[in-house]
Amino acid sequence: MSAEASDMSSYLLMGLPGLAYLSGVAEVGWTALGLAIGTYLNWLIVAKRLRRYTAKVGAITIPSFFSRRYQDQRNVLSCIAAVVILIFFIPYTASGFKAIGTLFNSLFGVDYHTTMIIGAAVVIGYTVLGGFLAVSTTDLIQSIIMTFALIFIVLFGIQQAGGWDLVASNASSLPGFLNMTQGYDPATGQASSYGGLSIVSTLAWGLGYFGMPHILLRFMAIEDDAKLKTSRRIATVWVVISMFIAILIGIVGLGVTQTGKIPFLGSSAEAETIIIRLSDLLSQHGVLFAIIAGVVLAGILASTMSTADSQLLAAASSMSHDLIQDFFGLKLSPKAAMHAARGTVIGIAIVAIFLAWDPNSTVFNIVSFAWAGFGASFGPLVLFSLFLEADQQVRGHLRHDRRRRHGLHLEVPHRPPGRRLGHLRAAPRLPGGLHRHRGGLPGHRAPRQGDRGGVRSRGQVSPSPSVCKNPRPSTEGRGFFVGVRGSLEELLHVLVLA
């Protein structure tokens, strides 16, 4: 629950309902499906191996795991990974601060910028003072509050809209609103097309899970990996139910709007406040309901804070441990390392506040950018690290950084001689992730029985991850395909055993 609360940020209670409210179920439905599949697969094929591997090599952060996994003595890979974390956690954290400012501005009319700064100060305070234990504990409590907020507000919304039949009738009257292959355009009032490429690209949200540092850190911190099966089931069920209810809130909110109890929210930024509007309506029905509305609003804050604190903590550990100590070689005392981590938290928060300064920005778009960056940067590298053998250096990944960056700009950069591919009109999650896999680890082969390198079957880690008992000369051309075949065999093996 703590890991999923750190994942489900303000886009759960604001981004998904707002998108469903404005455009129907197509985009938000495929997004939720991709996230649900990604959650399950991340727990299934990454959690146990990452937990055991990091414990064996003594890594406490994702960048340090990469360096130790590939025997990077100069910690260059650790430095690059830490910089990527710092870059993409800033907009991710900004989305949380933006949600805090929007909440209080919409509800009480308080100045957006003032409340955003106060909210950021609260998150910074308990993060730097409490550390990982405080963040994990508060995330668990916040996940419970988020669950209550989702369930109660959707039941109240259905009652205010006149019942479920009226809600369904209102939604079905809009062209393409309930169609998974179309979508609704509020500007024209007509159905819009949602083709195969858009569906695949939206499903690619699930690929981002393999590269989310704040989620991977929770896997590394698991006390007993024997409990992973139960944890996987709880996490998947919670994610599926919470996203389903979040989408339902958007549909129900539209029904309440059509009854005239809530004004129509015509822009993306306004639509993301639908749960706040419903909470405000709830508070007008007496003292008891006002208290419940306060709990619902606390759930919105919980979804924001549970993610922002995890991101700030992961960024702080990358700065103090991976950059300052490992890469630059500065030996810090525990007290000095703590001060460096706290300074990182404050610095990231300040930059995030400036990025979230525009009150008309949308939570969903900000999260989408950061999600694409982490998914394309770390996702394939994590999978290769756990399922391929480390008898080669990570030259392949560094060589194809240019492809990854182009993927984030919606391009297909690889162009065979005499053939033009042009541009691929897809969300950045898809080309970035696929070309990162395509350009992965030339010269690698899958672990074989008897090898001392790599990861053995059923998630067991060998005593020496970097040494191969019978090393073979690799071929640049066919090594990647051999490695991919081995990876697929390992993945199928894990899926069958699960």
Side-chain angles (χ1 to χ4, degrees):
M1 292 285 282
S2 174
E4 297 313 313
S6 67
D7 162 35
M8 293 296 169
S9 61
S10 52
Y11 79 84
L12 174 66
L13 293 180
M14 296 182 69
L16 295 184
L19 190 60
Y21 176 92
L22 205 59
S23 305
V25 300
E27 182 176 358
V28 71
W30 290 115
T31 299
L33 181 60
L35 291 173
I37 296 173
T39 297
Y40 180 79
L41 292 179
N42 202 27
W43 279 93
L44 179 64
I45 65 179
V46 172
K48 178 180 288 188
R49 286 173 177 255
L50 183 63
R51 165 68 178 83
R52 293 183 174 182
Y53 222 137
T54 52
K56 196 69 181 180
V57 301
I60 62 174
T61 65
I62 295 299
S64 64
F65 165 65
F66 290 151
S67 283
R68 299 186 186 194
R69 173 66 174 87
Y70 292 105
Q71 297 296 300
D72 178 18
Q73 302 297 331
R74 295 182 298 172
N75 293 310
V76 175
L77 184 57
S78 178
C79 173
I80 295 175
V83 171
V84 169
I85 287 176
L86 293 175
I87 291 175
F88 287 109
F89 264 156
I90 290 175
Y92 214 145
T93 306
S95 69
F97 294 165
K98 195 270 176 188
I100 294 175
T102 301
L103 171 63
F104 288 99
N105 177 257
S106 301
L107 193 61
F108 303 112
V110 185
D111 181 66
Y112 167 83
H113 302 104
T114 302
T115 55
M116 180 181 64
I117 294 173
I118 294 175
V122 172
V123 175
I124 293 171
Y126 78 78
T127 301
V128 300
L129 293 177
F132 186 81
L133 181 59
V135 168
S136 299
T137 305
T138 54
D139 284 355
L140 174 61
I141 298 173
Q142 288 160 356
S143 68
I144 298 174
I145 299 175
M146 290 161 60
T147 303
F148 173 82
L150 285 167
I151 295 175
F152 194 88
I153 205 69
V154 74
L155 294 177
F156 172 76
I158 292 174
Q159 186 270 333
Q160 289 295 304
W164 174 250
D165 291 338
L166 192 56
V167 170
S169 176
N170 290 333
S172 59
S173 66
L174 301 177
F177 192 86
L178 297 179
N179 194 320
M180 291 292 286
T181 59
Q182 287 186 328
Y184 174 71
D185 186 358
T188 62
Q190 301 296 323
S192 58
S193 61
Y194 205 78
L197 180 59
S198 298
I199 293 174
V200 174
S201 179
T202 309
L203 283 172
W205 270 86
L207 297 175
Y209 272 112
F210 301 119
M212 292 296 128
H214 55 295
I215 300 176
L216 299 177
L217 279 178
R218 302 305 173 95
F219 294 160
M220 295 166 59
I222 292 173
E223 182 179 3
D224 183 5
D225 56 17
K227 300 178 182 178
L228 279 173
K229 181 177 288 188
T230 302
S231 300
R232 180 177 72 240
R233 292 171 179 171
I234 294 174
T236 305
V237 170
W238 187 84
V239 165
V240 170
I241 293 176
S242 61
M243 288 193 296
F244 173 77
I245 297 177
I247 296 172
L248 199 58
I249 288 175
I251 300 174
V252 171
L254 182 63
V256 178
T257 296
Q258 292 179 344
T259 63
K261 297 178 181 179
I262 293 178
F264 179 70
L265 310 174
S267 66
S268 298
E270 291 178 342
E272 288 183 348
T273 66
I274 181 61
I275 190 172
I276 302 175
R277 304 280 183 164
L278 289 173
S279 301
D280 185 34
L281 183 62
L282 174 63
S283 66
Q284 300 172 13
H285 288 73
V287 177
L288 177 60
F289 287 101
I291 295 174
I292 296 175
V295 176
V296 173
L297 296 174
I300 301 176
L301 278 178
S303 67
T304 300
M305 297 168 67
S306 62
T307 301
D309 57 20
S310 299
Q311 294 160 351
L312 290 172
L313 194 66
S317 61
S318 295
M319 172 62 78
S320 63
H321 183 272
D322 301 312
L323 276 179
I324 296 179
Q325 297 191 62
D326 288 351
F327 183 71
F328 292 109
L330 300 177
K331 300 302 179 182
L332 300 179
S333 64
K335 185 175 181 179
M338 180 183 65
H339 288 318
R342 290 178 174 177
T344 303
V345 169
I346 297 173
I348 290 178
I350 292 174
V351 178
I353 288 174
F354 279 103
L355 289 181
W357 200 254
D358 181 12
N360 295 320
S361 60
T362 63
V363 172
F364 194 85
N365 288 337
I366 298 175
V367 172
S368 177
F369 171 78
W371 195 273
F374 278 128
S377 299
F378 288 158
L381 183 55
V382 168
L383 293 177
F384 283 129
S385 300
L386 298 177
F387 289 94
L388 289 184
E389 184 182 354
D391 60 341
Q392 297 285 327
Q393 293 294 325
V394 73
R395 294 190 303 270
H397 285 281
L398 300 180
R399 184 185 305 126
H400 293 275
D401 270 352
R402 179 177 59 86
R403 293 184 180 181
R404 181 195 71 214
R405 292 194 300 270
H406 284 189
L408 290 173
H409 288 285
L410 315 186
E411 295 181 356
V412 179
H414 178 68
R415 183 175 63 192
R419 186 178 180 185
R420 292 178 62 96
L421 291 180
H423 295 270
L424 178 63
R425 297 293 182 182
R429 296 171 295 278
L430 184 60
L434 292 181
H435 280 271
R436 186 68 163 155
H437 278 86
R438 185 186 185 280
L441 286 172
H444 279 66
R445 66 178 177 84
R448 303 177 185 275
Q449 187 68 28
D451 282 354
R452 295 177 61 193
V455 183
R456 295 179 186 272
S457 62
R458 304 195 181 189
Q460 298 177 354
V461 181
S462 61
S464 178
S466 62
V467 181
C468 179
K469 184 176 181 180
N470 297 307
R472 300 182 179 183
S474 60
T475 305
E476 186 80 10
R478 65 187 181 95
F480 172 73
F481 297 100
V482 176
V484 169
R485 184 188 65 184
S487 294
L488 293 176
E489 291 174 354
E490 288 281 344
L491 292 174
L492 288 174
H493 178 69
V494 173
L495 292 171
V496 169
L497 290 178

